[in-house]
Amino acid sequence: MVMRKAVAASVAAAVVATSIVSAASAAPAAKTVAAVQAQQSTFTVNGNAVAFRVVTKNGETLVSVRDLAQAIGANIAVNNGALTVTLNGHTVEVKLNAKQLTADGAAVSLKQPIQLVNGSTYIALRPFIAGLGGTVALNAGQISVSTVQLLEGAENPRFVNASTLLVSTIQEEGRTDYLVDTATGKSEVLMTSTDKSDLVVAPNGQQAIFSDNEGLLYLINLSTKAVAKLSDDNNIKPELVWSPDSGTVYFLQGDKGSVIAKIDVTSGEITKILEDKVDYKSSLNVSADGTQFVYAVTTLGKVTADSTNVDEDNVDIDFSANQIQIFSFDSTVKDGKPTQLTKGTDDKIFITSADGKNAAYVSVPNENSNAVLVAAAADGTTKNLYGAHDVLESVQYAGKLYVLAANSDTENGIYEVTASGAANQLYAVSAEVSSIVVSESGIAVVRDGSILVKNGNSWTAVTK
């Protein structure tokens, strides 16, 4: 389909060139620029390297309309000597020797008039592409053109591999999951659903797991998009964590997250690991060998009124009893019991663990103090790791901690923080960046609703 469109554009462009040359011959104002010579230059167009004929006029580079049309698959028509180009619902109209173009009905000024050189039409790249709804950027010295229609309102980015992100959009009727090319932003629908949990991508990037509102588990093949039920067990499974070898998934079981269990993704066999009748577990972390576990337990407020009917409006609840504490559990110890790692009453968010014994979390003491990255050791001691700036988020990957912190009112910083508390700023980003994703495949951020991926020395927006 794309090849046929490109061929059609090429044929149309050839017709356009002939038509414009004829028009130029009939009108004295449209003369070929003999003093300017065309040269070859290579740009990146929607992720592919494409050779263009270009000319330079008064320090500005103009690009062959024919070559540009072939590269982006635009439709071209000639009407009364004017060239009309359409792409993705946008229309640009140009005329030879004019110092403006018309984009979707609005006039756009040009520094250089549209040129005719050796029978081919040339135009400034950036305003022409912008009129067609695309963008032009300079990445590592290479001009990059994108005319891909980006997803709008996507969230929850997850790397499938270095070239693909999994993202989601939420509508009133449900959720749609997409696979997005990290170089171009080109997207394709993976799955639509109304009652499915977020997809959790396996480390091998080949499949993802999810559950439905009945607690049933499913696998989706990220290449074929085929979905297969993994188990008939209908206990609610609020959290899913893959093993490094993509062969096992760990989860919390029950509507209150009381049990830690695992499932073999080949056989579908479920094994309970910890059933201590402690409710409201969350933030499950598992060691690489699947024997050590770190998780949080939330204790709820206590009813202080005489009545125990909590549906009554006059029931008093003491919310000061609300606490989140972090625990570790060693499944290799016979009849072993969980160990409490924290005792403080501070709010604890973004809880992570690399080994299932020690933990890191973001402590939020109160609204007037900076949030701090804290380490909780297996012996129950805690230590502040990073608090130079207000911590907005912390993630862990491959045993390393990464922090998004508010450097100032206009700038956030992405830091790598060591176990000793040494912090190295990796990137300075906009204060609009609200979330980060770090994996072996790369780093992505969410900025004001858009998802951007680090490509070389620049950030590439892959959604809008």
Side-chain angles (χ1 to χ4, degrees):
M1 183 74 175
V2 173
M3 181 175 294
R4 290 200 298 271
K5 189 174 183 181
V7 171
S10 177
V11 172
V15 172
V16 167
T18 303
S19 300
I20 293 218
V21 169
S22 299
S25 301
K31 296 181 179 179
T32 296
V33 180
V36 179
Q37 297 297 320
Q39 297 178 332
Q40 288 284 333
S41 184
T42 300
F43 302 160
T44 299
V45 179
N46 297 330
N48 300 310
V50 179
F52 284 89
R53 289 172 297 163
V54 301
V55 298
T56 302
K57 182 70 172 179
N58 296 328
E60 185 178 24
T61 298
L62 309 181
V63 180
S64 164
V65 172
R66 181 191 299 179
D67 295 348
L68 193 56
Q70 289 177 329
I72 63 178
N75 295 315
I76 308 175
V78 179
N79 295 304
N80 299 323
L83 183 66
T84 302
V85 184
T86 57
L87 181 71
N88 295 335
H90 297 282
T91 300
V92 170
E93 185 179 89
V94 299
K95 294 182 179 180
L96 283 174
N97 288 342
K99 289 192 68 173
Q100 71 174 27
L101 58 78
T102 303
D104 293 335
V108 178
S109 297
L110 303 173
K111 293 181 180 180
Q112 304 296 326
I114 297 163
Q115 306 282 320
L116 188 66
V117 179
N118 296 328
S120 294
T121 307
Y122 289 79
I123 192 170
L125 176 65
R126 190 179 297 273
F128 186 70
I129 290 296
L132 293 172
T135 59
V136 178
L138 188 64
N139 294 326
Q142 176 77 47
I143 293 177
S144 178
V145 176
S146 174
T147 56
V148 173
Q149 291 183 292
L150 301 182
L151 280 175
E152 187 170 2
E155 57 187 41
N156 192 17
R158 290 138 286 172
F159 278 99
V160 174
N161 50 52
S163 62
T164 309
L165 276 178
L166 172 63
V167 305
S168 304
T169 61
I170 307 298
Q171 304 86 26
E172 289 185 4
E173 60 273 17
R175 188 187 77 236
T176 304
D177 298 303
Y178 296 85
L179 297 174
V180 177
D181 188 298
T182 58
T184 67
K186 184 179 180 180
S187 62
E188 61 176 299
V189 174
L190 175 65
M191 186 179 78
T192 58
S193 60
T194 58
D195 64 345
K196 306 298 189 293
S197 69
D198 288 338
L199 304 184
V200 183
V201 179
N204 63 15
Q206 297 177 5
Q207 58 189 346
I209 192 169
F210 62 92
S211 64
D212 63 14
N213 58 4
E214 295 182 354
L216 302 177
L217 288 176
Y218 299 84
L219 292 173
I220 181 168
N221 186 300
L222 298 179
S223 297
T224 66
K225 304 179 184 178
V227 175
K229 186 167 66 173
L230 181 57
S231 170
D232 289 322
D233 179 86
N234 60 358
N235 285 289
I236 299 299
K237 302 171 182 64
E239 294 192 28
L240 303 168
V241 179
W242 283 96
S243 63
D245 65 0
S246 301
T248 303
V249 175
Y250 301 87
F251 54 89
L252 300 176
Q253 194 176 54
D255 57 355
K256 295 182 180 180
S258 306
V259 176
I260 298 177
K262 66 178 180 180
I263 186 169
D264 184 296
V265 297
T266 301
S267 66
E269 181 182 358
I270 292 178
T271 304
K272 290 184 179 180
I273 298 170
L274 174 64
E275 189 174 13
D276 58 357
K277 303 188 184 304
V278 175
D279 296 336
Y280 305 114
K281 294 181 178 70
S282 63
S283 301
L284 181 64
N285 287 261
V286 186
S287 63
D289 65 1
T291 64
Q292 311 283 338
F293 302 83
V294 160
Y295 55 91
V297 172
T298 301
T299 57
L300 302 180
K302 297 181 178 179
V303 176
T304 58
D306 291 339
S307 172
T308 58
N309 184 359
V310 295
D311 293 327
E312 295 293 334
D313 292 338
N314 62 355
V315 171
D316 293 325
I317 300 177
D318 178 14
F319 288 103
S320 65
N322 282 28
Q323 287 188 17
I324 299 175
Q325 301 300 347
I326 302 174
F327 290 79
S328 66
F329 175 68
D330 185 347
S331 64
T332 65
V333 177
K334 185 178 181 180
D335 299 325
K337 295 182 178 181
T339 300
Q340 186 169 338
L341 303 184
T342 62
K343 295 181 179 179
T345 59
D346 54 329
D347 286 338
K348 301 173 183 68
I349 56 177
F350 303 116
I351 299 167
T352 59
S353 176
D355 59 6
K357 299 177 183 178
N358 305 277
Y361 64 95
V362 176
S363 171
V364 187
N366 57 65
E367 61 182 15
N368 298 317
S369 301
N370 281 351
V372 177
L373 180 66
V374 178
D379 62 4
T381 60
T382 59
K383 177 179 69 173
N384 288 357
L385 292 180
Y386 180 86
H389 301 97
D390 192 27
V391 176
L392 306 175
E393 185 181 23
S394 175
V395 299
Q396 190 164 45
Y397 174 72
K400 295 181 178 180
L401 288 165
Y402 299 87
V403 162
L404 175 67
N407 289 352
S408 67
D409 290 339
T410 59
E411 178 186 282
N412 290 343
I414 300 176
Y415 295 84
E416 181 181 327
V417 182
T418 68
S420 65
N424 174 40
Q425 180 169 307
L426 303 177
Y427 309 106
V429 295
S430 165
E432 294 178 332
V433 171
S434 57
S435 183
I436 60 176
V437 180
V438 181
S439 83
E440 180 182 8
S441 298
I443 182 168
V445 301
V446 178
R447 185 187 70 189
D448 193 26
S450 297
I451 299 171
L452 296 89
V453 176
K454 187 67 173 176
N455 284 324
N457 296 323
S458 62
W459 294 92
T460 301
V462 295
T463 71
K464 64 179 180 179

